[in-house]
Amino acid sequence: MLAIIGGSGLTRLSTLAVTHRQVIRTPYGEPSAALVFGDLAGHRAVFLARHGHGHTIPPHRVNYRANVWALKQQGASAILAVASVGGIRGSQPGDLVLPHQLIDYTWGRPSTFFDGDDQQVVHVDFTHPYSQRLRELCLQAAADGNIALDDGGVYGAVSGPRLETAAEIDRMDRDGATLVGMTGMPEAALARELGIDYASVCVVVNHAAGRGESHAGVSMAGIADVLESAMDSVRALIEHVVPLVPETPIEIEQHRGALRMGVETK
Ligand code: HPA
């Protein structure tokens, strides 16, 4: 079953024929909202509003662990994460981009399920942070639905909630980041830790600080306008992806290894 995590501009999924909602408690606390189950294009899917139904939870306060845990516990085999981003290079406001890599600049967020205590030490492979299989299904869905989706980008995850300085964006550009957003991490890493396929559809809602139209500053009114019009394409893309995702996980477990007494075990 595909899970969709909706970000800013996508706090509900109108194309989902809702069957039930479920409030979940996890060992990490409560998810951002009740999980919304339903049928989409004839297949079961589950939706979660990352910032809460009323969009009240800022990026640094999202309980990413509870969100990912709850989706796994409820049988999600893959997560398609929708996120709004600023474009640093190679994109324009209104574009949809499917990143293939990320750089994590976030700090202070609980970012792992393997947090010590009396567990064994676990390291997951994160060389390729997004599931290539799920990315390919997204590209196929975009082709099927005649939806423009750019293949590839480097997502720079920042803590926010403030936007960046022009110099910070210049540094991220030098690092190789082409997009900047506030929610992509630790979400992607947590999905990997639980063996859930994860990919992100990024909606470019503004030029990043100091770039293009944001030369003198980032316009919040502009962001709201772009978000609203781009979400139609996102909904259409989701409608075409859901039927392509198998019920069972696509690429599970091979990324996870435990390090015990210096010996790697799989
Ligand atoms: N920076 C960080 N996060 C964002 C931006 C941005 O410019 N636009 C949308 N989310």
Side-chain angles (χ1 to χ4, degrees), residues 8 59 83-88 155-156 158 160-164 169 172 179-183 203-209 214 218 223:
S8 301
S84 64
V85 296
I88 298 176
Y155 181 106
V158 296
R162 68 161 175 84
L163 297 175
E164 300 69 43
I169 292 298
M172 292 178 74
L179 307 166
V180 54
M182 299 178 189
T183 56
V203 183
V204 180
V205 292
N206 59 281
H207 288 284
S214 304
V218 177
I223 289 182

Side-chain angles (χ1 to χ4, degrees), residues 117-137:
D117 302 326
D118 54 0
Q119 298 174 31
Q120 59 179 339
V121 176
V122 175
H123 302 279
V124 290
D125 172 49
F126 205 45
T127 311
H128 298 288
Y130 301 107
S131 156
Q132 184 54 20
R133 275 281 291 150
L134 185 56
R135 292 186 70 258
E136 278 164 16
L137 296 182

